[in-house]
Amino acid sequence: MPDRTQTIAYPAPGSRPSRRDEEPLAPHVIVLFGATGDLAKRKLLPGLAYLQQSKFAPDVRIVGSATEDLTVDEFRERARQAVETYGTHRMSDEEWTQFASRLDYVSVSAGPEALAATVKAAEDLLGAGACRLHYLSVPPKAAQAVIAMLRDADLVERARVVMEKPFGDDLASAIQLNDFVHETFDEAQVFRIDHFLGKEAALNILAFRFANGLFEPIWNRNHIDHVQIDIPEELGLDQRATFYEPTGAFKDMVVTHLMQVMSFVAMEPPTALEPRAISEEKNKVFRSMLPIQATDVVRGQYSGYRNEDGVAPDSDTETFIALKVEIDNWRWAGVPFFLRTGKRMAQGQRIISIAFKEAPKTMFPTGFGAEGPDHLTFDLADSSRVSLSFYGKRPGPGMRLEKLSMQFSTQETKSAGDVLEAYERLILDAMRGDHTLFTTAEGIESLWERSAHLLEDPPPVKTYQPGTWGPNAIHQLIAPRAWRLPFEREWRENKPKS
């Protein structure tokens, strides 16, 4: 069994990270477990279809696998419906026919021998040197059975495995899961996926910080007052009560999404823009986190949640959570990070807001318009926007100020057509063996360790009304500061040129 303490995500000896994108990728057999599930239908199959028709991906063949007994033609028809319904790129009949010819299917019930034979047939069609990418789009309880099946089918060599969240539900279960996976796969073969980190705006955080001399010198406790990472959702359970009831907002969103985004905001400059260095800096952030205290957490539950199908009538599961996180290192000591997420909220947003400290002494008295800090805001939505707010003089007589902003969107660039959807990017990175945007075993275990106090003794849930921003107690949590959402102004939308 591989050493579970080994640092992961290191490039192979002799690799040249600065040139990795220039080297052609080997052909791949992608084995998609859970191929008839909701994630495969909405994201994975449409994403794989676009990667295949685009210039980005290598030659691939896709083997779908699920518990249903389907013929290959039946699976291809389901895939076509998924691509036509949820795909963001239109496919011509010729392009679809080409993609469909690369699809195969084998039921899980057929056993490891049938799976091995189907993968072998796909590899023969691709030729020598084909690699394997196993995507586990399955519930956590099924992940271990899939790993065991891959082991029994002898499909571990030349393979990488992509795993969906959650990665355990506390420290003990995370360690147990990682140990089980490491009995079959080396850590360098494992890719724990977080689709939030696959978005253009998440990568723009690294670009803004480390490519611009304007921002990095002020990215510290001397100039930043606090940080907000705010990901409210308008949707409810969406028929996921079986998963959500034992999980809740903290395990579903905070550990696996918000804290991963936080690591990009808080990390030290890596020694190089390559997976090993970036992963290590992210893990340093997690190791520097102070244990989360229940007094720094507000848990909420929207009114009517207990009436949902599959929910216990006395459920204490939180559908909302807001918390203060502190990072005890030289850069961030004393700077609070406020994280918030929840179901059935007023808007669906994905915002990172960096609040800069106000001037130590202002010549503008109260009432002149200079109220509140300047902000740098990253919108993690698909439009991928960045805004820097500041004060300027209001036109006209006298000296009054108003809040202004400079905004940027990837849609304004000449390369807007090259933007990949998050899952498309992450699948491509996994094929490349690039762990930059994935979670490590060490990192996820650090987060569960620092969450232990909260998990053992969580504060009681407070009721909030659907369509609001959560329980009123969130204002006491952040006081004397204020939440950025809802915004006092809207993002500017780009209008097409006439």
Side-chain angles (χ1 to χ4, degrees):
M1 169 180 148
D3 179 5
R4 67 176 308 279
T5 63
Q6 177 185 357
T7 304
I8 76 155
Y10 284 70
S15 70
R16 302 176 66 179
S18 62
R19 296 188 57 193
R20 66 182 184 275
D21 287 345
E22 299 174 11
E23 299 172 2
L25 274 170
H28 271 70
V29 175
I30 300 175
V31 184
L32 178 56
F33 293 94
T36 60
D38 191 64
L39 178 61
K41 177 176 65 177
R42 292 176 180 269
K43 295 293 185 181
L44 302 181
L45 287 168
L48 288 169
Y50 175 63
L51 283 178
Q52 184 54 41
Q53 74 178 108
S54 74
K55 61 185 178 182
F56 300 113
D59 195 10
V60 302
R61 298 195 70 86
I62 300 161
V63 176
S65 186
T67 56
E68 298 179 56
D69 290 321
L70 301 176
T71 66
V72 174
D73 288 339
E74 288 172 335
F75 175 62
R76 289 175 176 174
E77 179 56 32
R78 291 198 183 191
R80 179 162 195 166
Q81 292 175 5
V83 171
E84 291 177 349
T85 303
Y86 299 105
T88 56
H89 305 274
R90 289 188 175 274
M91 299 185 76
S92 65
D93 290 341
E94 181 180 352
E95 288 172 331
W96 167 254
T97 300
Q98 183 184 44
F99 178 67
S101 69
R102 298 172 182 275
L103 297 176
D104 207 338
Y105 184 84
V106 57
S107 172
V108 171
S109 61
E113 295 81 6
L115 177 64
T118 306
V119 173
K120 178 64 166 57
E123 290 176 341
D124 290 343
L125 291 171
L126 291 175
C131 297
R132 302 158 179 164
L133 183 70
H134 307 305
Y135 197 116
L136 276 59
S137 178
V138 298
K141 292 181 180 179
Q144 295 192 20
V146 173
I147 295 291
M149 187 176 189
L150 291 171
R151 178 197 62 211
D152 296 341
D154 196 21
L155 295 176
V156 176
E157 187 180 356
R158 308 189 320 279
R160 298 183 176 108
V161 57
V162 179
M163 299 186 67
E164 280 283 346
K165 68 176 179 78
F167 316 113
D169 53 22
D170 57 17
L171 178 59
S173 61
I175 290 174
Q176 188 274 332
L177 177 60
N178 285 330
D179 283 348
F180 181 85
V181 172
H182 290 160
E183 290 176 0
T184 302
F185 290 96
D186 291 328
E187 180 62 16
Q189 295 176 276
V190 182
F191 291 75
R192 297 169 187 81
I193 195 167
D194 172 14
H195 69 274
F196 275 62
L197 292 187
K199 296 181 177 297
E200 287 287 338
L203 292 170
N204 246 336
I205 299 170
L206 298 184
F208 264 72
R209 286 193 59 188
F210 303 131
N212 297 291
L214 173 64
F215 294 109
E216 183 55 27
I218 62 173
W219 208 269
N220 55 55
R221 58 187 169 85
N222 297 322
H223 300 279
I224 291 177
D225 179 78
H226 70 279
V227 177
Q228 296 181 33
I229 300 176
D230 210 347
I231 305 181
E233 297 180 289
E234 288 184 286
L235 296 176
L237 296 189
D238 196 26
Q239 300 181 334
R240 297 171 67 229
T242 303
F243 163 77
Y244 202 84
E245 175 68 358
T247 305
F250 181 78
K251 295 178 181 179
D252 182 39
M253 291 290 293
V254 176
V255 174
T256 51
H257 291 325
L258 277 72
M259 286 180 175
Q260 303 302 324
V261 173
M262 183 186 73
S263 69
F264 270 28
V265 176
M267 64 188 282
E268 294 296 317
T271 55
L273 195 64
E274 52 98 354
R276 175 177 67 175
I278 293 174
S279 292
E280 177 56 23
E281 296 305 333
K282 288 165 59 181
N283 287 342
K284 285 180 183 177
V285 172
F286 301 144
R287 292 197 295 267
S288 300
M289 282 176 54
L290 294 176
I292 299 170
Q293 304 297 328
T295 52
D296 292 330
V297 176
V298 174
R299 296 171 69 238
Q301 186 184 91
Y302 66 78
S303 179
Y305 171 77
R306 296 178 181 179
N307 298 325
E308 302 267 10
D309 291 339
V311 174
D314 59 348
S315 173
D316 189 54
T317 297
E318 78 278 359
T319 62
F320 168 96
I321 191 164
L323 63 155
K324 181 174 73 173
V325 174
E326 295 182 275
I327 300 173
D328 191 24
N329 62 18
W330 190 268
R331 182 182 293 265
W332 296 112
V335 178
F337 286 70
F338 296 101
L339 281 54
R340 176 172 66 167
T341 186
K343 299 286 189 184
R344 301 289 301 275
M345 297 186 70
Q347 295 178 17
Q349 296 274 5
R350 297 170 182 177
I351 298 295
I352 303 171
S353 184
I354 315 294
F356 294 101
K357 289 186 176 180
E358 298 183 56
K361 184 174 178 62
T362 178
M363 67 180 70
F364 300 99
T366 302
F368 272 62
E371 299 175 4
D374 302 327
H375 292 88
L376 177 64
T377 304
F378 296 87
D379 183 353
L380 298 187
D382 293 335
S383 54
S384 183
R385 296 174 292 196
V386 182
S387 171
L388 177 63
S389 68
F390 55 93
Y391 289 101
K393 181 187 177 298
R394 181 183 299 175
M399 188 62 175
R400 292 187 63 81
L401 306 181
E402 64 179 346
K403 203 70 170 287
L404 305 173
S405 68
M406 293 186 292
Q407 297 186 13
F408 159 80
S409 170
T410 54
Q411 303 305 317
E412 299 171 358
T413 70
K414 295 180 180 179
S415 301
D418 289 343
V419 172
L420 291 174
E421 197 274 339
Y423 279 101
E424 295 166 358
R425 172 189 300 281
L426 293 170
I427 290 171
L428 192 59
D429 283 354
M431 285 193 280
R432 292 190 181 281
D434 185 342
H435 281 85
T436 300
L437 302 178
F438 295 85
T439 305
T440 71
E442 177 188 347
I444 200 67
E445 290 175 17
S446 291
L447 291 176
W448 285 125
E449 183 178 14
R450 281 142 187 83
S451 304
H453 293 320
L454 174 62
L455 297 177
E456 291 169 2
D457 187 23
V461 294
K462 301 177 183 292
T463 302
Y464 66 98
Q465 294 301 313
T468 66
W469 291 100
N472 288 333
I474 61 172
H475 303 297
Q476 286 75 48
L477 174 69
I478 202 171
R481 306 168 181 91
W483 293 98
R484 291 285 325 277
L485 291 178
F487 284 137
E488 68 272 14
R489 62 180 62 82
E490 297 294 326
W491 287 95
R492 290 196 297 269
E493 298 293 341
N494 295 321
K495 297 181 179 179
K497 296 180 179 179
S498 56

